């Protein structure tokens, strides 16, 4: 009679990849200490996908842009290498791995670009949960969190949100993945925790659009210059 197999977990180093775009002055070259936006892509996407979304927001033109690719890489449509953030298997371990990963990326990016005047995390779809976790459970306080097309991770609903920055949270009106009911439940939970939240809905479904970029642009503009935004 054989002994039943036992499952074990082991920590092992793994390489991740991320992209950094530093703004430049036509006179002095790369700008140090610019505000920084850190992007988290959706399921089956790449760091390039989220970087392109950030680059399309006019208000982020003078920002350092960082786009982090999920550690779980696989072949997507057409054989392209894409990523996801995690699966349900060893979920808690994966969350810890990702938090360490994001912390390392942000630390390195700041070493390259200088201490930012403001730091904002931007998540889309599956990347929304990771952006939330990094904002609440990460070692570094951030100035804003902008997410679209994904719900608040359930484990955060039972944690103190005292570290939570101002939040912009949105969905597409026809989105069946992030339903209207879940959106309202998230807003109610956040209101009960006294989180400063700006909710919005745009036309369309589960897809980032120009309207989403417009909302995020206004949000970051208000964060870095609230007095100017108040005069608009």
């Amino acid at each position: 009679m054989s002994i039943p197999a036992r499952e074990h977990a082991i920590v092992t180093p793994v390489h991740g990849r991320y992209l950094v775009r530093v703004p430049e002055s036509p006179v002095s070259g790369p700008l140090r200490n610019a505000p920084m936006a850190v992007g988290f892509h959706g399921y089956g996407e790449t760091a390039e996908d989220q970087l392109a979304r950030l680059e399309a927001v006019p208000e982020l033109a003078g920002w350092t842009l960082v786009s982090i690719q999920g550690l779980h890489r696989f072949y997507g449509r057409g054989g392209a290498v894409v990523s996801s953030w995690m699966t349900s298997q060893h979920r808690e371990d994966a969350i810890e791995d990702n938090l360490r990963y994001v912390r390392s990326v942000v630390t390195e990016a700041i070493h390259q670009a200088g201490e930012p005047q403001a730091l904002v995390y931007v998540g889309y779809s599956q990347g929304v949960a990771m952006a939330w976790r990094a904002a609440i459970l990460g070692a570094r306080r951030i100035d804003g969190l902008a997410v679209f097309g994904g719900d608040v991770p359930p484990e955060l609903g039972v944690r103190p949100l005292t570290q939570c920055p101002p939040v912009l949270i949105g969905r597409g009106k026809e989105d069946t993945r992030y339903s209207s009911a879940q959106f309202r439940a998230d807003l109610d939970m956040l209101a009960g925790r006294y989180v400063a939240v700006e909710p919005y809905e745009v036309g369309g479904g589960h897809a980032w659009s120009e309207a989403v970029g417009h909302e995020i642009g206004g949000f970051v503009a208000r964060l870095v210059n609230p007095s100017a935004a108040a005069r608009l």
Side-chain angles (χ1 to χ4, degrees):
M1 180 177 179
S2 61
I3 300 174
R6 293 183 181 180
E7 182 179 20
H8 300 271
I10 189 168
V11 177
T12 182
V14 62
H15 285 77
R17 69 183 294 265
Y18 66 99
L19 304 176
V20 180
R21 191 219 67 180
V22 178
E24 290 197 3
S25 163
V27 177
S28 58
L31 296 175
R32 288 187 63 80
N33 308 113
M36 179 180 288
V38 179
F40 300 80
H41 63 76
Y43 176 83
E45 295 188 331
T46 65
E48 284 82 359
D49 292 322
Q50 190 68 3
L51 182 65
R53 295 181 181 114
L54 298 178
E55 288 181 322
V57 178
E59 289 83 356
L60 294 178
W63 288 51
T64 296
L65 303 180
V66 180
S67 185
I68 308 176
Q69 186 156 325
L71 292 174
H72 178 210
R73 296 179 220 181
F74 58 96
Y75 289 109
R77 293 179 180 177
V81 177
V82 295
S83 291
S84 72
W85 288 96
M86 56 182 286
T87 66
S88 60
Q89 190 175 57
H90 286 194
R91 182 176 181 276
E92 297 301 321
D93 291 340
I95 290 173
E96 289 302 317
D97 290 343
N98 281 323
L99 287 172
R100 283 194 297 269
Y101 173 43
V102 171
R103 181 169 60 247
S104 296
V105 170
V106 172
T107 299
E108 279 201 10
I110 290 175
H111 179 73
Q112 297 171 41
E115 186 69 28
Q117 301 168 25
L119 180 60
V120 175
Y121 290 170
V122 184
Y124 165 61
S125 191
Q126 191 194 44
V128 166
M130 196 59 240
W132 269 107
R133 293 182 182 113
I136 304 303
L137 305 176
R140 188 181 185 94
R141 294 185 70 90
I142 67 172
D143 300 289
L145 173 64
V147 293
F148 175 78
D151 59 340
V152 181
E155 70 271 15
L156 297 186
V158 296
R159 295 184 66 98
L161 297 181
T162 53
Q163 186 172 310
C164 191
V167 177
L168 178 76
I169 181 171
R171 68 177 292 272
K173 293 179 181 177
E174 286 79 46
D175 191 350
T176 56
R177 300 187 199 176
Y178 185 33
S179 68
S180 177
Q182 183 60 58
F183 183 55
R184 298 302 164 192
D186 285 344
L187 293 178
D188 289 344
M189 185 275 289
L190 294 170
R193 301 296 186 84
Y194 304 102
V195 175
V197 179
E198 296 183 34
Y200 71 97
E201 293 184 281
V202 297
H206 192 79
W208 187 289
S209 64
E210 185 177 343
V212 177
H214 176 76
E215 294 287 345
I216 290 175
F219 177 69
V220 299
R222 292 188 292 275
L223 282 178
V224 298
N225 196 350
S227 59
R231 293 195 296 269
L232 295 177

